[in-house]
Amino acid sequence: DSTSNGFSFKGIKDFLDCYRSGKLTPSQVAKNIIAVLEDCDKSTPPLRAIVQWDREQIMLMAEASTARYRNKCTLSYLDGIPVCLKEDFKVVPYRHRVGTVYLGTEPETEDATVAKKLREAGAIIIGVSNMQELGTGTTGCNPNRYHKTPRNPYKPNHFTGGSSSGPAAAVAAGLCPVAIGTDGGGSVRIPASFCGVVGLKGTFGRISSHGCLPLSYSTVSIGPICTSVADAAIVYSILAEPDPLCPYGLKQPKATLSDMCAPDLKGLKLGVDWTFFKACDAEVLSVCEKAVEHLQSLGASTVEVSLPEMEEVRVAHVICILSEMRDFLQPDFNKHFYEMNLDTRASLALASQFTALDYITANRQRTRSMRFLREIFSTVDCILTPAIPCTAPRIYESDLLTGSSDLNFTVKSMRFMQLANLTGIPGLVVPVGYSTAGLPIGFQVMAKWWDEALLLRIGSKLEEFRYQTKKPSIYYDILA
């Protein structure tokens, strides 16, 4: 519960307060959302956060939730809460297009596990959201006819980040307080950071990926994008458990939220590799260094650590994710080459240059890096970095027509992301401030495997660092 001055995002608690007090029903909220969905794509420029939605579906879920509130038999904290899912999840009755024009020729008849769990929790799925085509980039740019490029709610002439571009834009613009994305190279954390919201990448296998297009089977984790750390904790606690249909997470320990509400951070050791930490723009560094001082003021101590072989980690991650995507998309590359965006073709063509030897060597690096991390986590509780070395880049007219391919930016934007994707550890990004241009700046905390509870504990304290939340220039208050 926050008592902040000025603007604050509407989160799960705000919805629950309205429903429990009788001020609004889920059905009334759903009608507001439908009006907003109609409006936000007619605006100039169009937001393009949600790319498929259905009025009847939204109202059906909302009316069922309204009846449960009336009868005082709600299903969970997500009952009546609007959510959206990235288009690489199967969601009935939408098309599983994954950001392309050629996939999803028929509506889906079976939900992905996360969609099923959200329904069982009583959430209102407001639709599926935009994404970079096949998850192949970090800007969120997607010029094709079904998608178009979503806009950053803070600065509509800037990118949202990708590839979970639509989920971050939807949450930051107030369309829903919760969205679900996938993260193979920062694809939840980059857009969350660029759009000034919270993004959690769970431990590899922690949240089921069944029913999600398996673009890269060794780097992708699932996680929520929310307006607050508390909301991310609620969603995490509902989605994080073994799924018989997803082998990667079968042996996971039980998910907890232990110590999340502890009054301070006494006794915690925060690992920082200052050379790595400082590899970012001056504005980002200034804010993030102050965020570290804030955590120290709550009783935590910082311990200087050395993250070894980070250049090798970067290369190994790129080889693993692109080789696996190229392997999975080989038939598409041959059959639908001319229907793909130019930057997707370029990424997959680059991936075809890697050899089996490259892939094996990259996986040996993964094993080495996991061993280094085990040693580091025996001396510290977590690792701190900025979320991204820069703020969201500008959109140019040509990007909207032909797409965007800037490998320097791609490499830069993933700098602090790749370690968690290569090794499977969890990562949380929290907004901590703004650039002089008014663009959000994010901060990242990474912890050992399965220790999301620690991330959420530190993240909730990190939120207190930012004394003011700026209102995005595109924002819909659906509870008004």
Side-chain angles (χ1 to χ4, degrees):
D1 191 9
S2 64
T3 51
S4 59
N5 305 323
F7 173 78
S8 63
F9 286 105
K10 294 291 191 288
I12 291 173
K13 186 177 184 296
D14 300 294
F15 284 83
L16 296 181
D17 286 348
C18 282
Y19 297 158
R20 288 165 179 171
S21 67
K23 185 179 155 202
L24 281 173
T25 65
S27 298
Q28 287 167 310
V29 166
K31 284 177 184 154
N32 292 351
I33 290 169
I34 289 164
V36 165
L37 289 172
E38 285 171 342
D39 176 70
C40 67
D41 280 340
K42 287 186 192 137
S43 62
T44 311
L47 181 63
R48 297 306 293 157
I50 308 290
V51 287
Q52 298 183 59
W53 59 278
D54 182 291
R55 177 192 308 263
E56 202 177 309
Q57 290 289 323
I58 296 170
M59 288 312 300
L60 272 174
M61 286 179 265
E63 279 155 12
S65 178
T66 300
R68 289 192 293 273
Y69 276 97
R70 197 186 306 120
N71 300 325
K72 294 190 168 48
C73 60
T74 52
L75 300 170
S76 79
Y77 285 124
L78 290 185
D79 207 325
I81 303 298
V83 303
C84 69
L85 292 96
K86 187 177 177 181
E87 204 182 44
D88 57 355
F89 291 102
K90 293 182 177 182
V91 183
V92 179
Y94 303 110
R95 292 167 190 269
H96 192 212
R97 287 190 177 127
V98 201
T100 72
V101 295
Y102 66 86
L103 287 172
T105 51
E106 295 297 323
E108 281 307 309
T109 55
E110 193 182 337
D111 277 330
T113 297
V114 286
K116 186 164 163 275
K117 288 179 90 67
L118 290 168
R119 281 190 213 275
E120 288 166 356
I124 303 170
I125 297 174
I126 66 167
V128 292
S129 47
N130 209 339
M131 63 178 286
Q132 189 139 1
E133 186 178 58
L134 296 166
T136 52
T138 61
T139 56
C141 186
N142 189 349
N144 77 39
R145 66 180 184 272
Y146 287 146
H147 296 85
K148 300 296 176 207
T149 298
R151 301 306 183 117
N152 190 319
Y154 273 94
K155 291 245 170 188
N157 59 342
H158 286 250
F159 283 119
T160 54
S163 64
S164 304
S165 52
V171 170
L175 304 185
C176 51
V178 173
I180 310 297
T182 55
D183 189 315
S187 286
V188 158
R189 293 163 292 154
I190 292 169
S193 184
F194 278 166
C195 293
V197 289
V198 171
L200 171 67
K201 175 198 106 65
T203 304
F204 180 73
R206 176 62 107 175
I207 296 171
S208 172
S209 58
H210 175 74
C212 174
L213 198 73
L215 290 164
S216 165
Y217 42 80
S218 77
T219 66
V220 175
S221 296
I222 316 297
I225 293 175
C226 300
T227 55
S228 71
V229 175
D231 286 5
I234 290 170
V235 180
Y236 164 74
S237 66
I238 285 170
L239 296 182
E241 65 175 4
D243 174 12
L245 300 170
C246 182
Y248 301 130
L250 288 178
K251 301 274 194 234
Q252 63 177 275
K254 190 165 173 53
T256 71
L257 298 177
S258 60
D259 293 332
M260 187 177 160
C261 300
D264 54 43
L265 299 175
K266 282 192 180 113
L268 287 185
K269 291 179 181 165
L270 317 175
V272 183
D273 179 331
W274 285 110
T275 308
F276 186 55
F277 190 102
K278 289 177 177 176
C280 59
D281 294 357
E283 264 189 315
V284 172
L285 179 61
S286 169
V287 173
C288 289
E289 282 180 327
K290 290 190 185 89
V292 174
E293 287 167 17
H294 168 74
L295 297 176
Q296 288 172 315
S297 75
L298 293 165
S301 59
T302 54
V303 177
E304 207 160 326
V305 296
S306 169
L307 294 172
E309 302 178 2
M310 290 310 293
E311 181 59 18
E312 288 82 348
V313 164
R314 184 181 74 75
V315 175
H317 168 262
V318 168
I319 290 169
C320 286
I321 191 169
L322 281 180
S323 297
E324 289 167 7
M325 288 174 94
R326 178 64 209 247
D327 166 54
F328 181 72
L329 295 168
Q330 182 66 22
D332 301 43
F333 193 68
N334 292 335
K335 195 174 166 194
H336 298 287
F337 180 82
Y338 291 104
E339 294 165 274
M340 290 176 172
N341 291 336
L342 295 173
D343 57 300
T344 307
R345 293 184 215 171
S347 297
L348 293 174
L350 169 68
S352 69
Q353 300 305 302
F354 298 135
T355 64
L357 184 61
D358 293 328
Y359 184 70
I360 291 165
T361 309
N363 275 289
R364 286 186 178 141
Q365 180 63 45
R366 188 200 304 263
T367 307
R368 277 175 71 82
S369 297
M370 289 171 83
R371 192 167 69 239
F372 293 142
L373 282 179
R374 274 199 190 91
E375 287 165 18
I376 290 167
F377 285 128
S378 69
T379 60
V380 297
D381 297 290
C382 66
I383 296 166
L384 307 179
T385 69
I388 313 177
C390 56
T391 52
R394 213 191 139 142
I395 298 172
Y396 293 96
E397 277 306 306
S398 60
D399 299 334
L400 300 172
L401 299 170
T402 52
S404 166
S405 181
D406 179 347
L407 286 178
N408 284 336
F409 169 75
T410 306
V411 168
K412 188 176 183 179
S413 63
M414 288 164 59
R415 179 173 297 147
F416 300 120
M417 302 281 131
Q418 294 171 285
L419 179 64
N421 290 114
L422 186 70
T423 61
I425 59 172
L428 176 75
V429 300
V430 178
V432 286
Y434 305 90
S435 68
T436 46
L439 286 160
I441 291 170
F443 189 94
Q444 177 173 238
V445 191
M446 294 177 280
K448 66 179 181 291
W449 300 269
W450 316 113
D451 203 2
E452 288 87 350
L454 179 71
L455 296 183
L456 295 162
R457 177 185 171 187
I458 296 170
S460 63
K461 293 289 178 278
L462 204 49
E463 271 180 321
E464 297 164 7
F465 164 70
R466 190 180 58 174
Y467 68 95
Q468 181 203 14
T469 303
K470 290 188 174 166
K471 186 177 181 180
S473 60
I474 302 176
Y475 186 74
Y476 296 92
D477 185 350
I478 53 179
L479 295 179

